[in-house]
Amino acid sequence: MSQNKAGTISYPLSLRPLHAAIVAGLPLAAISLVATRFAPFGRELLDRYLAHPLDQVELALFCCGMGVFIVKLWSLRSEWQALDKDDWLPAHNGAPVAAGEAAAMARHAAAAGMEQTWLARRYANALGHVARRRSAAGLDAHLRGLADADAMTLEGSAALTRFITWAIPILGFLGTVLGITGAISGVTPEKLEASLSTVTDGLALAFDAPAVALALTMVLMFTASMVERAETRVLEEVDGRVDRDLPPRFETAETAGSETASAAGTVARAVAEVMSRQFSHLANEIAGKVHEAVCSGLARVSDQTMAIDRSMAIRMEESRQV
């Protein structure tokens, strides 16, 4: 998406399904209806399945849905070309740059053209965010928000084709109701005997209309699944490309915080080592003093015990002499 001079958001044609259906679907429907009317072959089959106005409305809706898918597929060609370009941003030597360089990077990306692609819009939005804030803080969260917004925009662009895929079978069942009603309304034995074609024509509409609707719906659903898968893959590639290119280029608060945390961790480890050495030395000193005190105490106890033994021996000797 881009902004015009009035400041409103302008989406590409692939993200405006109603405009895509008008620009591509209606001409395709007109060509198809004219071709079925004047086709040089298959006249009997076409007259059977596309003669009723309800069948022609089903075909017109089918062409509108296919017109949207044609526009989307054409835009995917530009998306892959944008992803193949390598010069969206200036050359980077690996060192983080200041947030003030975001404006110059945005101008460089805009000079690459293809401003209607997902990748160009993502670069413009992300770099504009950094330039306005003059800081790359929170860039990762902003990129996640942009990715979610683009996914929601892509999901919304499929609303019309889903409605068409739902509406065509409903028209087929409406043809069944109209066919059966026309076949049995006002039928009497006399009219049935006179003109059996009135009943058979109504029954033909009752069965042919849903058959055409289901066939067209199957083609639409298969095409829708292929287109949605391709668009989702492109959007995933854009998410990965922007995540690889932008956050590592800027000095962010997270980067500064990680560097500060790393320095603080180094200091903390050094302090812990010094404290560990001091504690070990203090523990050794305490253990030595405790050992000396215990040994000294044991020695004193041993001396006192020996003195008591000598004293008792002398007294016993004196008592024997007496």
Side-chain angles (χ1 to χ4, degrees):
M1 76 197 95
S2 59
Q3 291 186 346
N4 53 27
K5 294 182 179 179
T8 59
I9 297 177
S10 175
Y11 290 94
L13 188 61
S14 60
L15 297 180
R16 292 179 291 166
L18 183 59
H19 293 77
I22 294 173
V23 171
L26 290 182
L28 181 61
I31 294 172
S32 299
L33 291 174
V34 172
T36 57
R37 182 66 61 86
F38 300 101
F41 52 88
R43 294 301 314 159
E44 182 179 355
L45 193 64
L46 293 174
D47 290 340
R48 175 182 175 181
Y49 288 102
L50 296 175
H52 196 274
L54 195 62
D55 299 328
Q56 297 173 4
V57 172
E58 293 175 1
L59 179 61
L61 285 176
F62 170 79
C63 292
C64 289
M66 291 302 296
V68 176
F69 292 140
I70 290 172
V71 172
K72 284 179 172 289
L73 289 173
W74 182 260
S75 67
L76 287 176
R77 176 175 170 270
S78 301
E79 298 291 347
W80 285 113
Q81 289 178 351
L83 288 169
D84 289 338
K85 290 175 64 69
D86 296 328
D87 56 348
W88 284 100
L89 300 175
H92 184 222
N93 57 4
V97 299
E101 300 293 328
M105 294 169 64
R107 290 191 296 269
H108 188 279
M114 309 180 75
E115 64 277 0
Q116 291 295 322
T117 60
W118 289 107
L119 187 59
R121 295 194 299 270
R122 189 74 63 85
Y123 278 136
N125 287 332
L127 293 173
H129 171 79
V130 176
R132 287 189 302 270
R133 293 170 59 92
R134 297 181 180 178
S135 172
L139 180 58
D140 290 333
H142 183 69
L143 289 178
R144 288 193 296 270
L146 291 177
D148 293 339
D150 288 344
M152 292 178 62
T153 301
L154 184 61
E155 182 73 15
S157 68
L160 180 62
T161 53
R162 288 176 183 156
F163 171 77
I164 292 175
T165 306
W166 169 85
I168 292 178
I170 297 299
L171 289 176
F173 294 131
L174 179 61
T176 300
V177 174
L178 293 178
I180 295 176
T181 302
I184 66 176
S185 62
V187 175
T188 61
E190 294 78 11
K191 291 183 179 180
L192 183 60
E193 188 175 334
S195 179
L196 187 61
S197 62
T198 303
V199 178
T200 57
D201 291 343
L203 293 177
L205 174 62
F207 292 106
D208 291 344
V212 173
L214 293 176
L216 297 178
T217 302
M218 289 179 61
V219 176
L220 273 179
M221 293 181 65
F222 176 77
T223 308
S225 65
M226 299 300 294
V227 173
E228 289 178 4
R229 182 179 301 177
E231 287 181 325
T232 302
R233 182 182 175 189
V234 167
L235 210 54
E236 291 175 352
E237 291 290 335
V238 170
D239 295 341
R241 176 76 171 270
V242 174
D243 288 338
R244 289 193 302 269
D245 286 351
L246 291 184
R249 286 179 176 257
F250 294 104
E251 295 176 350
T252 61
E254 290 81 358
T255 304
S258 63
E259 293 176 353
T260 303
S262 178
T266 303
V267 173
R269 286 191 296 271
V271 171
E273 291 177 0
V274 172
M275 293 182 64
S276 177
R277 288 195 296 269
Q278 292 180 351
F279 180 78
S280 177
H281 179 69
L282 180 61
N284 291 331
E285 289 184 354
I286 293 174
K289 292 184 179 296
V290 169
H291 183 268
E292 291 177 0
V294 170
C295 291
S296 177
L298 291 175
R300 286 197 297 270
V301 170
S302 179
D303 292 341
Q304 291 177 0
T305 302
M306 293 177 65
I308 292 172
D309 290 341
R310 286 195 297 270
S311 176
M312 291 180 65
I314 294 172
R315 289 180 181 181
M316 291 178 65
E317 183 66 25
E318 290 178 349
S319 63
R320 282 197 297 269
Q321 290 176 1
V322 173

